[in-house]
Amino acid sequence: EAGVTQSPTHLIKTRGQQVTLRCSPISGHTSVYWYQQALGLGLQFLLWYDEGEERNRGNFPPRFSGRQFPNYSSELNVNALELEDSALYLCASSLGLGQQDEKLFFGSGTQLSVL
Amino acid sequence: GESVGLHLPTLSVQEGDNSIINCAYSNSASDYFIWYKQESGKGPQFIIDIRSNMDKRQGQRVTVLLNKTVKHLSLQIAATQPGDSAVYFCAEAGSARQLTFGSGTQLTVLP
């Protein structure tokens, strides 16, 4: 069974540009989470989607946004990129609300570099 | 100017020794706890989890201990191997059913 897949694996952008990152959850999982991990630091929660709805949002500016599609895949959009947005962006999936299983399964991430 | 950042706690152990990684959690209502291992350049991988109705749970070479009285979680790795070198994260979940991650500990296994 395929795990969580993310694309692209690496991305280089310049300040002010916009970027879209993509994530496909494990088959049967309805929840998708996005995290930002700056180099050498911990996981900062960005967004949580379940069944197409945004369930929670971390302490990030509005230029970070996303959505979840009917097939449960998800996109993370970042507008007006800043240098400090350079990080590993991790997507994770879980069985979803109501399943009483909070365990997250992570993808390998998208490494974003903003120059 | 001075840069301010959060540096990961580090733990160094000799190959073959046992490792103990500690985690303090803040929410007394949390009832689910989990440990992840993150190797360089990869996403976190599930190691072991435990619910609040248990004090101890064992896996292959790993044991998680939960002390709800002092809100403390620990991960014990037996006979630590070079492949165990990684960053280890603990996480907790409460009524919101969403995991909150700790800051992580960098484990280095010395030859």
Side-chain angles (χ1 to χ4, degrees), chain A residues 45-93:
Chain A
F45 168 68
L46 274 162
L47 290 160
W48 171 19
Y49 293 96
D50 183 77
E51 296 282 3
E53 299 287 329
E54 182 179 299
R55 298 297 177 179
N56 199 7
R57 181 183 178 86
N59 188 25
F60 280 83
R63 58 191 187 82
F64 287 84
S65 65
R67 56 179 173 168
Q68 186 179 33
F69 299 98
N71 67 353
Y72 304 116
S73 66
S74 177
E75 284 182 352
L76 174 69
N77 298 291
V78 188
N79 293 321
L81 284 167
E82 301 179 1
L83 296 179
E84 54 264 35
D85 296 334
S86 295
L88 180 67
Y89 288 83
L90 290 162
C91 174
S93 71

mmCIF file of all heavy atoms in Angstrom, chain A residues 45-93:
data_model
loop_
_atom_site.group_PDB
_atom_site.id
_atom_site.type_symbol
_atom_site.label_atom_id
_atom_site.label_comp_id
_atom_site.label_asym_id
_atom_site.label_seq_id
_atom_site.Cartn_x
_atom_site.Cartn_y
_atom_site.Cartn_z
ATOM 1 N N PHE A 45 2.691 23.336 13.313
ATOM 2 C CA PHE A 45 1.419 22.986 12.693
ATOM 3 C C PHE A 45 0.887 24.124 11.837
ATOM 4 O O PHE A 45 0.817 25.275 12.285
ATOM 5 C CB PHE A 45 0.405 22.631 13.783
ATOM 6 C CG PHE A 45 -1.012 22.523 13.290
ATOM 7 C CD1 PHE A 45 -1.385 21.500 12.451
ATOM 8 C CD2 PHE A 45 -1.956 23.468 13.657
ATOM 9 C CE1 PHE A 45 -2.693 21.404 11.985
ATOM 10 C CE2 PHE A 45 -3.257 23.382 13.219
ATOM 11 C CZ PHE A 45 -3.629 22.356 12.380
ATOM 12 N N LEU A 46 0.500 23.796 10.614
ATOM 13 C CA LEU A 46 -0.056 24.770 9.681
ATOM 14 C C LEU A 46 -1.567 24.628 9.539
ATOM 15 O O LEU A 46 -2.321 25.542 9.839
ATOM 16 C CB LEU A 46 0.572 24.592 8.295
ATOM 17 C CG LEU A 46 1.875 25.304 7.990
ATOM 18 C CD1 LEU A 46 2.544 24.680 6.788
ATOM 19 C CD2 LEU A 46 1.628 26.779 7.761
ATOM 20 N N LEU A 47 -2.012 23.474 9.042
ATOM 21 C CA LEU A 47 -3.409 23.299 8.668
ATOM 22 C C LEU A 47 -3.823 21.845 8.850
ATOM 23 O O LEU A 47 -3.003 20.939 8.733
ATOM 24 C CB LEU A 47 -3.635 23.685 7.195
ATOM 25 C CG LEU A 47 -3.524 25.167 6.838
ATOM 26 C CD1 LEU A 47 -3.268 25.336 5.347
ATOM 27 C CD2 LEU A 47 -4.799 25.900 7.239
ATOM 28 N N TRP A 48 -5.113 21.671 9.115
ATOM 29 C CA TRP A 48 -5.714 20.336 9.222
ATOM 30 C C TRP A 48 -7.008 20.333 8.421
ATOM 31 O O TRP A 48 -7.876 21.175 8.639
ATOM 32 C CB TRP A 48 -5.964 19.989 10.685
ATOM 33 C CG TRP A 48 -6.769 18.728 10.923
ATOM 34 C CD1 TRP A 48 -6.990 17.682 10.061
ATOM 35 C CD2 TRP A 48 -7.464 18.403 12.123
ATOM 36 N NE1 TRP A 48 -7.770 16.738 10.654
ATOM 37 C CE2 TRP A 48 -8.074 17.131 11.921
ATOM 38 C CE3 TRP A 48 -7.618 19.025 13.351
ATOM 39 C CZ2 TRP A 48 -8.820 16.497 12.908
ATOM 40 C CZ3 TRP A 48 -8.366 18.391 14.332
ATOM 41 C CH2 TRP A 48 -8.960 17.154 14.106
ATOM 42 N N TYR A 49 -7.133 19.396 7.509
ATOM 43 C CA TYR A 49 -8.351 19.216 6.728
ATOM 44 C C TYR A 49 -8.916 17.840 6.990
ATOM 45 O O TYR A 49 -8.163 16.858 7.113
ATOM 46 C CB TYR A 49 -8.078 19.358 5.227
ATOM 47 C CG TYR A 49 -7.689 20.748 4.830
ATOM 48 C CD1 TYR A 49 -6.356 21.108 4.715
ATOM 49 C CD2 TYR A 49 -8.652 21.724 4.587
ATOM 50 C CE1 TYR A 49 -5.992 22.394 4.365
ATOM 51 C CE2 TYR A 49 -8.301 23.013 4.239
ATOM 52 C CZ TYR A 49 -6.961 23.336 4.140
ATOM 53 O OH TYR A 49 -6.601 24.616 3.802
ATOM 54 N N ASP A 50 -10.225 17.763 7.055
ATOM 55 C CA ASP A 50 -10.895 16.475 7.174
ATOM 56 C C ASP A 50 -12.192 16.536 6.386
ATOM 57 O O ASP A 50 -12.973 17.477 6.573
ATOM 58 C CB ASP A 50 -11.171 16.109 8.623
ATOM 59 C CG ASP A 50 -11.800 14.730 8.763
ATOM 60 O OD1 ASP A 50 -11.068 13.745 8.641
ATOM 61 O OD2 ASP A 50 -13.029 14.648 8.964
ATOM 62 N N GLU A 51 -12.408 15.544 5.520
ATOM 63 C CA GLU A 51 -13.605 15.494 4.688
ATOM 64 C C GLU A 51 -13.841 16.808 3.937
ATOM 65 O O GLU A 51 -14.979 17.261 3.800
ATOM 66 C CB GLU A 51 -14.828 15.153 5.545
ATOM 67 C CG GLU A 51 -14.764 13.769 6.178
ATOM 68 C CD GLU A 51 -15.096 12.648 5.201
ATOM 69 O OE1 GLU A 51 -15.320 12.929 4.002
ATOM 70 O OE2 GLU A 51 -15.096 11.481 5.620
ATOM 71 N N GLY A 52 -12.772 17.415 3.472
ATOM 72 C CA GLY A 52 -12.892 18.613 2.651
ATOM 73 C C GLY A 52 -13.007 19.923 3.412
ATOM 74 O O GLY A 52 -13.019 20.992 2.809
ATOM 75 N N GLU A 53 -13.097 19.828 4.743
ATOM 76 C CA GLU A 53 -13.272 21.032 5.545
ATOM 77 C C GLU A 53 -11.997 21.349 6.330
ATOM 78 O O GLU A 53 -11.303 20.442 6.784
ATOM 79 C CB GLU A 53 -14.422 20.832 6.546
ATOM 80 C CG GLU A 53 -15.768 20.549 5.916
ATOM 81 C CD GLU A 53 -16.363 21.771 5.264
ATOM 82 O OE1 GLU A 53 -16.090 22.893 5.757
ATOM 83 O OE2 GLU A 53 -17.100 21.612 4.264
ATOM 84 N N GLU A 54 -11.721 22.638 6.508
ATOM 85 C CA GLU A 54 -10.611 23.047 7.365
ATOM 86 C C GLU A 54 -11.039 22.881 8.812
ATOM 87 O O GLU A 54 -11.999 23.508 9.257
ATOM 88 C CB GLU A 54 -10.215 24.494 7.085
ATOM 89 C CG GLU A 54 -9.020 24.953 7.914
ATOM 90 C CD GLU A 54 -8.624 26.394 7.614
ATOM 91 O OE1 GLU A 54 -8.274 26.695 6.463
ATOM 92 O OE2 GLU A 54 -8.661 27.218 8.561
ATOM 93 N N ARG A 55 -10.302 22.059 9.564
ATOM 94 C CA ARG A 55 -10.663 21.767 10.958
ATOM 95 C C ARG A 55 -9.898 22.614 11.956
ATOM 96 O O ARG A 55 -10.373 22.877 13.053
ATOM 97 C CB ARG A 55 -10.409 20.295 11.263
ATOM 98 C CG ARG A 55 -11.223 19.346 10.424
ATOM 99 C CD ARG A 55 -12.720 19.487 10.658
ATOM 100 N NE ARG A 55 -13.489 18.615 9.783
ATOM 101 C CZ ARG A 55 -14.804 18.545 9.803
ATOM 102 N NH1 ARG A 55 -15.498 19.293 10.646
ATOM 103 N NH2 ARG A 55 -15.431 17.732 8.956
ATOM 104 N N ASN A 56 -8.694 22.996 11.589
ATOM 105 C CA ASN A 56 -7.898 23.809 12.497
ATOM 106 C C ASN A 56 -6.783 24.464 11.703
ATOM 107 O O ASN A 56 -6.398 23.983 10.620
ATOM 108 C CB ASN A 56 -7.312 22.960 13.635
ATOM 109 C CG ASN A 56 -6.882 23.807 14.824
ATOM 110 O OD1 ASN A 56 -7.138 25.020 14.859
ATOM 111 N ND2 ASN A 56 -6.253 23.199 15.794
ATOM 112 N N ARG A 57 -6.304 25.570 12.239
ATOM 113 C CA ARG A 57 -5.269 26.324 11.578
ATOM 114 C C ARG A 57 -4.251 26.762 12.614
ATOM 115 O O ARG A 57 -4.621 27.172 13.717
ATOM 116 C CB ARG A 57 -5.887 27.560 10.906
ATOM 117 C CG ARG A 57 -4.909 28.400 10.169
ATOM 118 C CD ARG A 57 -5.550 29.648 9.590
ATOM 119 N NE ARG A 57 -4.539 30.439 8.920
ATOM 120 C CZ ARG A 57 -4.162 30.269 7.671
ATOM 121 N NH1 ARG A 57 -4.762 29.334 6.937
ATOM 122 N NH2 ARG A 57 -3.226 31.012 7.124
ATOM 123 N N GLY A 58 -2.975 26.664 12.267
ATOM 124 C CA GLY A 58 -1.919 27.098 13.171
ATOM 125 C C GLY A 58 -1.692 28.597 13.093
ATOM 126 O O GLY A 58 -2.366 29.317 12.359
ATOM 127 N N ASN A 59 -0.722 29.060 13.844
ATOM 128 C CA ASN A 59 -0.438 30.488 13.948
ATOM 129 C C ASN A 59 0.441 30.953 12.785
ATOM 130 O O ASN A 59 1.618 31.264 12.971
ATOM 131 C CB ASN A 59 0.235 30.777 15.291
ATOM 132 C CG ASN A 59 0.379 32.257 15.537
ATOM 133 O OD1 ASN A 59 -0.388 33.060 14.997
ATOM 134 N ND2 ASN A 59 1.340 32.631 16.357
ATOM 135 N N PHE A 60 -0.131 30.970 11.601
ATOM 136 C CA PHE A 60 0.569 31.407 10.400
ATOM 137 C C PHE A 60 -0.250 32.487 9.718
ATOM 138 O O PHE A 60 -1.471 32.514 9.836
ATOM 139 C CB PHE A 60 0.776 30.221 9.440
ATOM 140 C CG PHE A 60 1.935 29.345 9.800
ATOM 141 C CD1 PHE A 60 1.807 28.349 10.752
ATOM 142 C CD2 PHE A 60 3.167 29.521 9.200
ATOM 143 C CE1 PHE A 60 2.885 27.552 11.101
ATOM 144 C CE2 PHE A 60 4.255 28.723 9.520
ATOM 145 C CZ PHE A 60 4.110 27.732 10.475
ATOM 146 N N PRO A 61 0.412 33.378 8.958
ATOM 147 C CA PRO A 61 -0.329 34.460 8.290
ATOM 148 C C PRO A 61 -1.239 33.919 7.195
ATOM 149 O O PRO A 61 -1.056 32.788 6.721
ATOM 150 C CB PRO A 61 0.788 35.344 7.716
ATOM 151 C CG PRO A 61 1.980 34.459 7.635
ATOM 152 C CD PRO A 61 1.866 33.488 8.758
ATOM 153 N N PRO A 62 -2.220 34.734 6.771
ATOM 154 C CA PRO A 62 -3.208 34.292 5.764
ATOM 155 C C PRO A 62 -2.608 33.926 4.414
ATOM 156 O O PRO A 62 -3.267 33.243 3.615
ATOM 157 C CB PRO A 62 -4.135 35.505 5.630
ATOM 158 C CG PRO A 62 -3.967 36.252 6.898
ATOM 159 C CD PRO A 62 -2.536 36.053 7.319
ATOM 160 N N ARG A 63 -1.355 34.346 4.148
ATOM 161 C CA ARG A 63 -0.782 33.986 2.856
ATOM 162 C C ARG A 63 -0.486 32.488 2.767
ATOM 163 O O ARG A 63 -0.155 31.994 1.696
ATOM 164 C CB ARG A 63 0.474 34.818 2.583
ATOM 165 C CG ARG A 63 1.555 34.700 3.618
ATOM 166 C CD ARG A 63 2.641 35.761 3.420
ATOM 167 N NE ARG A 63 3.748 35.536 4.330
ATOM 168 C CZ ARG A 63 4.704 34.662 4.082
ATOM 169 N NH1 ARG A 63 4.711 33.986 2.955
ATOM 170 N NH2 ARG A 63 5.681 34.495 4.962
ATOM 171 N N PHE A 64 -0.605 31.796 3.887
ATOM 172 C CA PHE A 64 -0.562 30.331 3.897
ATOM 173 C C PHE A 64 -2.009 29.840 3.843
ATOM 174 O O PHE A 64 -2.816 30.141 4.737
ATOM 175 C CB PHE A 64 0.096 29.796 5.161
ATOM 176 C CG PHE A 64 1.584 29.976 5.206
ATOM 177 C CD1 PHE A 64 2.134 31.170 5.635
ATOM 178 C CD2 PHE A 64 2.437 28.944 4.844
ATOM 179 C CE1 PHE A 64 3.512 31.347 5.673
ATOM 180 C CE2 PHE A 64 3.826 29.104 4.890
ATOM 181 C CZ PHE A 64 4.358 30.316 5.301
ATOM 182 N N SER A 65 -2.321 29.095 2.795
ATOM 183 C CA SER A 65 -3.688 28.592 2.670
ATOM 184 C C SER A 65 -3.657 27.220 2.009
ATOM 185 O O SER A 65 -2.616 26.773 1.521
ATOM 186 C CB SER A 65 -4.547 29.550 1.838
ATOM 187 O OG SER A 65 -4.063 29.612 0.508
ATOM 188 N N GLY A 66 -4.787 26.576 1.999
ATOM 189 C CA GLY A 66 -4.826 25.268 1.373
ATOM 190 C C GLY A 66 -6.236 24.831 1.101
ATOM 191 O O GLY A 66 -7.199 25.585 1.308
ATOM 192 N N ARG A 67 -6.335 23.625 0.625
ATOM 193 C CA ARG A 67 -7.649 23.021 0.420
ATOM 194 C C ARG A 67 -7.506 21.518 0.321
ATOM 195 O O ARG A 67 -6.403 21.009 0.086
ATOM 196 C CB ARG A 67 -8.316 23.579 -0.826
ATOM 197 C CG ARG A 67 -7.507 23.438 -2.109
ATOM 198 C CD ARG A 67 -8.274 24.008 -3.271
ATOM 199 N NE ARG A 67 -7.467 24.052 -4.496
ATOM 200 C CZ ARG A 67 -7.972 24.297 -5.700
ATOM 201 N NH1 ARG A 67 -9.272 24.511 -5.843
ATOM 202 N NH2 ARG A 67 -7.184 24.325 -6.758
ATOM 203 N N GLN A 68 -8.639 20.856 0.492
ATOM 204 C CA GLN A 68 -8.680 19.405 0.335
ATOM 205 C C GLN A 68 -9.726 19.074 -0.710
ATOM 206 O O GLN A 68 -10.835 19.608 -0.685
ATOM 207 C CB GLN A 68 -9.012 18.722 1.659
ATOM 208 C CG GLN A 68 -8.925 17.201 1.574
ATOM 209 C CD GLN A 68 -9.228 16.509 2.888
ATOM 210 O OE1 GLN A 68 -10.037 16.978 3.690
ATOM 211 N NE2 GLN A 68 -8.581 15.375 3.124
ATOM 212 N N PHE A 69 -9.372 18.192 -1.600
ATOM 213 C CA PHE A 69 -10.238 17.840 -2.716
ATOM 214 C C PHE A 69 -11.139 16.645 -2.365
ATOM 215 O O PHE A 69 -10.889 15.954 -1.373
ATOM 216 C CB PHE A 69 -9.381 17.527 -3.945
ATOM 217 C CG PHE A 69 -8.552 18.694 -4.394
ATOM 218 C CD1 PHE A 69 -7.222 18.806 -4.020
ATOM 219 C CD2 PHE A 69 -9.114 19.697 -5.183
ATOM 220 C CE1 PHE A 69 -6.454 19.883 -4.427
ATOM 221 C CE2 PHE A 69 -8.345 20.777 -5.586
ATOM 222 C CZ PHE A 69 -7.015 20.870 -5.207
ATOM 223 N N PRO A 70 -12.166 16.403 -3.189
ATOM 224 C CA PRO A 70 -13.069 15.277 -2.909
ATOM 225 C C PRO A 70 -12.359 13.934 -2.809
ATOM 226 O O PRO A 70 -12.863 13.024 -2.145
ATOM 227 C CB PRO A 70 -14.054 15.321 -4.088
ATOM 228 C CG PRO A 70 -14.094 16.753 -4.489
ATOM 229 C CD PRO A 70 -12.694 17.246 -4.282
ATOM 230 N N ASN A 71 -11.223 13.767 -3.463
ATOM 231 C CA ASN A 71 -10.487 12.499 -3.357
ATOM 232 C C ASN A 71 -9.527 12.503 -2.165
ATOM 233 O O ASN A 71 -8.699 11.608 -2.039
ATOM 234 C CB ASN A 71 -9.716 12.211 -4.649
ATOM 235 C CG ASN A 71 -8.589 13.198 -4.890
ATOM 236 O OD1 ASN A 71 -8.438 14.188 -4.165
ATOM 237 N ND2 ASN A 71 -7.792 12.934 -5.907
ATOM 238 N N TYR A 72 -9.642 13.516 -1.303
ATOM 239 C CA TYR A 72 -8.890 13.686 -0.054
ATOM 240 C C TYR A 72 -7.453 14.161 -0.248
ATOM 241 O O TYR A 72 -6.764 14.403 0.747
ATOM 242 C CB TYR A 72 -8.918 12.424 0.812
ATOM 243 C CG TYR A 72 -10.317 11.977 1.125
ATOM 244 C CD1 TYR A 72 -10.803 10.756 0.658
ATOM 245 C CD2 TYR A 72 -11.162 12.788 1.868
ATOM 246 C CE1 TYR A 72 -12.107 10.378 0.925
ATOM 247 C CE2 TYR A 72 -12.467 12.405 2.144
ATOM 248 C CZ TYR A 72 -12.928 11.189 1.663
ATOM 249 O OH TYR A 72 -14.217 10.812 1.933
ATOM 250 N N SER A 73 -7.008 14.318 -1.486
ATOM 251 C CA SER A 73 -5.703 14.927 -1.684
ATOM 252 C C SER A 73 -5.785 16.388 -1.274
ATOM 253 O O SER A 73 -6.883 16.949 -1.115
ATOM 254 C CB SER A 73 -5.238 14.790 -3.130
ATOM 255 O OG SER A 73 -6.076 15.551 -3.988
ATOM 256 N N SER A 74 -4.618 17.008 -1.121
ATOM 257 C CA SER A 74 -4.609 18.373 -0.580
ATOM 258 C C SER A 74 -3.522 19.205 -1.239
ATOM 259 O O SER A 74 -2.526 18.672 -1.753
ATOM 260 C CB SER A 74 -4.389 18.314 0.934
ATOM 261 O OG SER A 74 -4.312 19.608 1.497
ATOM 262 N N GLU A 75 -3.747 20.484 -1.236
ATOM 263 C CA GLU A 75 -2.746 21.449 -1.692
ATOM 264 C C GLU A 75 -2.468 22.448 -0.588
ATOM 265 O O GLU A 75 -3.384 22.833 0.158
ATOM 266 C CB GLU A 75 -3.263 22.234 -2.908
ATOM 267 C CG GLU A 75 -3.250 21.490 -4.206
ATOM 268 C CD GLU A 75 -3.739 22.362 -5.372
ATOM 269 O OE1 GLU A 75 -4.223 23.486 -5.120
ATOM 270 O OE2 GLU A 75 -3.631 21.898 -6.511
ATOM 271 N N LEU A 76 -1.223 22.880 -0.512
ATOM 272 C CA LEU A 76 -0.832 23.981 0.367
ATOM 273 C C LEU A 76 -0.313 25.092 -0.538
ATOM 274 O O LEU A 76 0.570 24.860 -1.362
ATOM 275 C CB LEU A 76 0.257 23.557 1.347
ATOM 276 C CG LEU A 76 0.845 24.665 2.206
ATOM 277 C CD1 LEU A 76 -0.191 25.169 3.207
ATOM 278 C CD2 LEU A 76 2.097 24.174 2.950
ATOM 279 N N ASN A 77 -0.878 26.258 -0.403
ATOM 280 C CA ASN A 77 -0.460 27.414 -1.186
ATOM 281 C C ASN A 77 0.203 28.439 -0.274
ATOM 282 O O ASN A 77 -0.298 28.713 0.821
ATOM 283 C CB ASN A 77 -1.668 28.060 -1.862
ATOM 284 C CG ASN A 77 -2.340 27.109 -2.829
ATOM 285 O OD1 ASN A 77 -1.778 26.777 -3.858
ATOM 286 N ND2 ASN A 77 -3.535 26.666 -2.487
ATOM 287 N N VAL A 78 1.307 28.972 -0.749
ATOM 288 C CA VAL A 78 1.970 30.049 -0.019
ATOM 289 C C VAL A 78 2.174 31.202 -0.988
ATOM 290 O O VAL A 78 2.837 31.048 -2.020
ATOM 291 C CB VAL A 78 3.322 29.616 0.573
ATOM 292 C CG1 VAL A 78 3.869 30.718 1.477
ATOM 293 C CG2 VAL A 78 3.198 28.312 1.346
ATOM 294 N N ASN A 79 1.577 32.332 -0.666
ATOM 295 C CA ASN A 79 1.704 33.528 -1.502
ATOM 296 C C ASN A 79 2.787 34.450 -0.950
ATOM 297 O O ASN A 79 3.158 34.369 0.225
ATOM 298 C CB ASN A 79 0.368 34.280 -1.528
ATOM 299 C CG ASN A 79 -0.706 33.496 -2.232
ATOM 300 O OD1 ASN A 79 -0.457 32.838 -3.237
ATOM 301 N ND2 ASN A 79 -1.917 33.544 -1.695
ATOM 302 N N ALA A 80 3.267 35.333 -1.838
ATOM 303 C CA ALA A 80 4.225 36.371 -1.423
ATOM 304 C C ALA A 80 5.344 35.782 -0.575
ATOM 305 O O ALA A 80 5.550 36.179 0.579
ATOM 306 C CB ALA A 80 3.493 37.484 -0.671
ATOM 307 N N LEU A 81 6.059 34.820 -1.140
ATOM 308 C CA LEU A 81 7.083 34.100 -0.396
ATOM 309 C C LEU A 81 8.111 35.028 0.238
ATOM 310 O O LEU A 81 8.538 36.027 -0.364
ATOM 311 C CB LEU A 81 7.791 33.105 -1.315
ATOM 312 C CG LEU A 81 7.008 31.841 -1.635
ATOM 313 C CD1 LEU A 81 7.653 31.097 -2.797
ATOM 314 C CD2 LEU A 81 6.902 30.942 -0.409
ATOM 315 N N GLU A 82 8.499 34.671 1.460
ATOM 316 C CA GLU A 82 9.538 35.385 2.190
ATOM 317 C C GLU A 82 10.690 34.430 2.462
ATOM 318 O O GLU A 82 10.514 33.196 2.444
ATOM 319 C CB GLU A 82 8.969 35.948 3.500
ATOM 320 C CG GLU A 82 7.807 36.901 3.281
ATOM 321 C CD GLU A 82 7.231 37.439 4.583
ATOM 322 O OE1 GLU A 82 7.758 37.079 5.664
ATOM 323 O OE2 GLU A 82 6.250 38.203 4.512
ATOM 324 N N LEU A 83 11.860 34.996 2.724
ATOM 325 C CA LEU A 83 13.046 34.168 2.943
ATOM 326 C C LEU A 83 12.822 33.155 4.063
ATOM 327 O O LEU A 83 13.265 32.002 3.973
ATOM 328 C CB LEU A 83 14.261 35.040 3.263
ATOM 329 C CG LEU A 83 14.736 35.981 2.153
ATOM 330 C CD1 LEU A 83 15.934 36.809 2.633
ATOM 331 C CD2 LEU A 83 15.084 35.227 0.887
ATOM 332 N N GLU A 84 12.125 33.582 5.107
ATOM 333 C CA GLU A 84 11.925 32.691 6.259
ATOM 334 C C GLU A 84 10.921 31.578 6.003
ATOM 335 O O GLU A 84 10.700 30.734 6.871
ATOM 336 C CB GLU A 84 11.504 33.501 7.484
ATOM 337 C CG GLU A 84 10.312 34.389 7.273
ATOM 338 C CD GLU A 84 10.737 35.817 6.946
ATOM 339 O OE1 GLU A 84 11.764 35.990 6.260
ATOM 340 O OE2 GLU A 84 10.021 36.751 7.356
ATOM 341 N N ASP A 85 10.338 31.559 4.802
ATOM 342 C CA ASP A 85 9.459 30.448 4.442
ATOM 343 C C ASP A 85 10.261 29.230 3.999
ATOM 344 O O ASP A 85 9.697 28.150 3.796
ATOM 345 C CB ASP A 85 8.501 30.852 3.314
ATOM 346 C CG ASP A 85 7.543 31.945 3.728
ATOM 347 O OD1 ASP A 85 7.254 32.072 4.944
ATOM 348 O OD2 ASP A 85 7.078 32.683 2.837
ATOM 349 N N SER A 86 11.554 29.391 3.854
ATOM 350 C CA SER A 86 12.410 28.264 3.489
ATOM 351 C C SER A 86 12.335 27.214 4.587
ATOM 352 O O SER A 86 12.655 27.491 5.752
ATOM 353 C CB SER A 86 13.851 28.724 3.316
ATOM 354 O OG SER A 86 13.981 29.606 2.224
ATOM 355 N N ALA A 87 11.911 26.018 4.204
ATOM 356 C CA ALA A 87 11.692 24.965 5.200
ATOM 357 C C ALA A 87 11.311 23.684 4.491
ATOM 358 O O ALA A 87 11.071 23.654 3.281
ATOM 359 C CB ALA A 87 10.572 25.358 6.171
ATOM 360 N N LEU A 88 11.228 22.618 5.293
ATOM 361 C CA LEU A 88 10.660 21.352 4.833
ATOM 362 C C LEU A 88 9.170 21.388 5.168
ATOM 363 O O LEU A 88 8.803 21.614 6.327
ATOM 364 C CB LEU A 88 11.344 20.184 5.532
ATOM 365 C CG LEU A 88 10.867 18.781 5.163
ATOM 366 C CD1 LEU A 88 11.220 18.447 3.711
ATOM 367 C CD2 LEU A 88 11.460 17.735 6.099
ATOM 368 N N TYR A 89 8.336 21.192 4.176
ATOM 369 C CA TYR A 89 6.895 21.174 4.395
ATOM 370 C C TYR A 89 6.427 19.724 4.364
ATOM 371 O O TYR A 89 6.554 19.029 3.361
ATOM 372 C CB TYR A 89 6.174 22.027 3.346
ATOM 373 C CG TYR A 89 6.422 23.495 3.586
ATOM 374 C CD1 TYR A 89 7.579 24.108 3.109
ATOM 375 C CD2 TYR A 89 5.537 24.247 4.348
ATOM 376 C CE1 TYR A 89 7.838 25.444 3.369
ATOM 377 C CE2 TYR A 89 5.777 25.584 4.609
ATOM 378 C CZ TYR A 89 6.934 26.178 4.121
ATOM 379 O OH TYR A 89 7.195 27.500 4.400
ATOM 380 N N LEU A 90 5.895 19.305 5.490
ATOM 381 C CA LEU A 90 5.485 17.916 5.664
ATOM 382 C C LEU A 90 3.973 17.800 5.631
ATOM 383 O O LEU A 90 3.260 18.599 6.239
ATOM 384 C CB LEU A 90 6.001 17.390 7.001
ATOM 385 C CG LEU A 90 7.512 17.175 7.089
ATOM 386 C CD1 LEU A 90 7.950 17.076 8.542
ATOM 387 C CD2 LEU A 90 7.923 15.923 6.336
ATOM 388 N N CYS A 91 3.517 16.792 4.938
ATOM 389 C CA CYS A 91 2.105 16.441 4.909
ATOM 390 C C CYS A 91 1.944 15.121 5.650
ATOM 391 O O CYS A 91 2.823 14.245 5.595
ATOM 392 C CB CYS A 91 1.626 16.303 3.467
ATOM 393 S SG CYS A 91 -0.061 15.708 3.286
ATOM 394 N N ALA A 92 0.858 14.996 6.367
ATOM 395 C CA ALA A 92 0.554 13.751 7.068
ATOM 396 C C ALA A 92 -0.920 13.435 6.892
ATOM 397 O O ALA A 92 -1.737 14.335 6.673
ATOM 398 C CB ALA A 92 0.895 13.878 8.554
ATOM 399 N N SER A 93 -1.254 12.162 6.989
ATOM 400 C CA SER A 93 -2.659 11.788 6.911
ATOM 401 C C SER A 93 -3.017 10.862 8.067
ATOM 402 O O SER A 93 -2.150 10.241 8.686
ATOM 403 C CB SER A 93 -2.990 11.119 5.567
ATOM 404 O OG SER A 93 -2.442 9.822 5.466
#
